[in-house]
Amino acid sequence: MPAQLARAPRHLLVCEKGHARHPRSRHAAHVRDHAYSCRVSFLIPECALLPEVLKSTIADIGEYYLVRNLSIHELVAHEFIDAFVKKGKLILSVDKDTYEELGLQGRPSRYSGKKAMRYIITIDLTDAGFHPESKKHNRVLWALKEKKPLEFDFLLAWYNTGAEGSTLMSYFSKNQIRALKPKITFSTLRDLQCPVLQSNDLQGKPEESCSTEELFEWLGAVLNQVSLDNNSSSFLSTYCCPEPNTVVEKAFLCTITGFIIPEKIIQLLEQLCCYFGEPKLAYWLTLTVHGFADSPVSWRESEHGFHKGGENLYNFVIFRNLDYWLQMAVGAHDDCPP
């Protein structure tokens, strides 16, 4: 067997802990650093009925939009930038032929091997030198509009702070644009085995508490509806809950699927922290966020090597005392999360 096939793909899990009410807590900043999320799930043990404030937060998660056959040059038009972009960059991941045809400055992909076959082009849309009629803007517009026109279907989302102005629906009215609502599912898990956790101990202790890695693996099984029975006759899985563990009569699981922007995730995270404002049976709860597998970036502007796996996700474990664990995971061909 070739050596490269014998090696298992590299995966990376970074963990840190903090307190949600500490003035230097960076939990919200970490959410903002991961901009492209397609699925959000939260699990609350010892919960049979969701509080109304959490229901309202979920209902207010917002729409996103599907735009068919959108030319990329429209995203560098100053009408679009002035209406929707306060600060941002257009990042293109293109193959070698497209890169050479465009003639724009870029860099070889970190994951394209010795012979570069993919390139990353980054255009700062709000750079002072990218103003209308500037040489930089004119060259980019010419390359994308005339030299090598590129046209794709796009998912777009926009955080409207209440200011008046254009909306995505009206701005792209000449295109095939459709508003989409995230898919929301609720379920109650019964007699669920849950790991015993201690907020001050990421590593866990034998017979006292489970580690952050054990919790992460267990949560993946729960969210993917893998049986925890450790049944020797099962052809799918013999996985079982790590020890020590406890059985909860009911656990509430909610999953939101769509294009969910960081600001909405932060609002949901804040309400989950407020869940412990009144006495609860649960000692902890989780919030798990998955990024798009084929996004060109994962965290911030870190290149996402989506050709092998595509995993990029993070998980908050929020404890009753508002301590939290933050777990950030990527697969092969990705930079270490911040």
Side-chain angles (χ1 to χ4, degrees), residues 81 104 140-141 157 197 266 280 304-306 312 316 321 331 335:
I81 297 171
L104 297 175
V140 170
L141 190 61
L197 307 176
I266 292 171
K280 296 291 191 301
H304 177 43
F306 56 86
N312 65 113
F316 281 98
N321 62 0
D335 288 340

Side-chain angles (χ1 to χ4, degrees), residues 159-199:
Y159 183 57
N160 185 358
T161 57
E164 293 184 2
S166 298
T167 65
L168 286 169
M169 203 74 178
S170 62
Y171 185 87
F172 290 108
S173 58
K174 62 183 182 298
N175 301 86
Q176 300 179 51
I177 183 170
R178 183 158 57 101
L180 302 173
K181 292 182 180 290
K183 179 183 177 182
I184 302 172
T185 60
F186 301 107
S187 59
T188 299
L189 310 180
R190 300 182 183 277
D191 299 323
L192 179 66
Q193 285 183 295
C194 294
V196 173
L197 307 176
Q198 296 293 336
S199 64

Side-chain angles (χ1 to χ4, degrees), residues 252-303:
F252 192 93
L253 174 63
C254 173
T255 298
I256 306 166
T257 306
F259 188 4
I260 305 107
I261 60 177
E263 286 76 10
K264 295 296 183 180
I265 297 174
I266 292 171
Q267 292 174 8
L268 179 57
L269 179 60
E270 177 60 27
Q271 290 304 324
L272 288 171
C273 289
C274 292
Y275 177 78
F276 290 115
E278 298 179 359
K280 296 291 191 301
L281 291 175
Y283 181 66
W284 50 263
L285 56 81
T286 66
L287 174 70
T288 310
V289 180
H290 287 260
F292 287 94
D294 57 354
S295 171
V297 298
S298 52
W299 272 270
R300 297 176 185 168
E301 296 175 35
S302 298
E303 184 180 348

Side-chain angles (χ1 to χ4, degrees), residues 32-288:
R32 291 191 180 95
D33 285 343
H34 191 272
Y36 307 105
S37 302
C38 63
R39 187 165 74 247
V40 177
S41 302
F42 64 84
L43 175 71
I44 308 178
E46 301 287 8
C47 176
L49 186 64
L50 203 62
E52 288 299 323
V53 66
L54 269 172
K55 289 182 181 179
S56 298
T57 303
I58 295 168
D60 189 42
I61 208 71
E63 295 180 327
Y64 61 104
Y65 303 88
L66 172 62
V67 185
R68 300 281 189 186
N69 307 315
L70 177 62
S71 298
I72 288 186
H73 72 80
E74 293 192 43
L75 301 180
V76 301
H78 275 278
E79 294 82 4
F80 175 79
I81 297 171
D82 292 342
F84 300 106
V85 183
K86 292 183 178 180
K87 182 180 180 181
K89 297 179 180 180
L90 175 64
I91 300 176
L92 304 176
S93 175
V94 297
D95 59 29
K96 182 174 181 289
D97 292 340
T98 301
Y99 178 71
E100 292 176 346
E101 289 182 69
L102 283 170
L104 297 175
Q105 185 177 2
R107 59 173 177 79
S109 167
R110 294 185 57 182
Y111 309 113
S112 59
K114 295 181 179 179
K115 186 177 180 181
M117 298 303 294
R118 180 160 289 273
Y119 288 79
I120 306 298
I121 300 171
T122 301
I123 302 166
D124 191 340
L125 300 178
T126 54
D127 179 71
F130 199 68
H131 60 82
E133 305 308 322
S134 67
K135 290 183 179 180
K136 182 185 290 187
H137 179 260
N138 288 340
R139 177 167 180 77
V140 170
L141 190 61
W142 171 76
L144 294 173
K145 188 175 183 179
E146 299 181 31
K147 194 166 190 291
K148 179 63 176 178
L150 297 174
E151 187 177 272
F152 301 99
D153 296 342
F154 280 86
L155 289 180
L156 300 177
W158 178 47
Y159 183 57
N160 185 358
T161 57
E164 293 184 2
S166 298
T167 65
L168 286 169
M169 203 74 178
S170 62
Y171 185 87
F172 290 108
S173 58
K174 62 183 182 298
N175 301 86
Q176 300 179 51
I177 183 170
R178 183 158 57 101
L180 302 173
K181 292 182 180 290
K183 179 183 177 182
I184 302 172
T185 60
F186 301 107
S187 59
T188 299
L189 310 180
R190 300 182 183 277
D191 299 323
L192 179 66
Q193 285 183 295
C194 294
V196 173
L197 307 176
Q198 296 293 336
S199 64
N200 60 352
D201 193 356
L202 287 169
Q203 301 304 318
K205 294 180 181 178
E207 300 182 1
E208 291 187 23
S209 64
C210 297
S211 69
T212 180
E213 290 87 356
E214 289 174 318
L215 178 280
F216 192 77
E217 186 177 43
W218 170 85
L219 186 60
V222 172
L223 296 184
N224 286 285
Q225 301 180 348
V226 174
S227 173
L228 306 178
D229 293 337
N230 190 22
N231 190 336
S232 60
S233 64
S234 173
F235 291 96
L236 297 178
S237 172
T238 57
Y239 177 78
C240 61
C241 182
E243 295 183 350
N245 58 62
T246 184
V247 177
V248 300
E249 183 180 352
K250 294 179 180 178
F252 192 93
L253 174 63
C254 173
T255 298
I256 306 166
T257 306
F259 188 4
I260 305 107
I261 60 177
E263 286 76 10
K264 295 296 183 180
I265 297 174
I266 292 171
Q267 292 174 8
L268 179 57
L269 179 60
E270 177 60 27
Q271 290 304 324
L272 288 171
C273 289
C274 292
Y275 177 78
F276 290 115
E278 298 179 359
K280 296 291 191 301
L281 291 175
Y283 181 66
W284 50 263
L285 56 81
T286 66
L287 174 70
T288 310

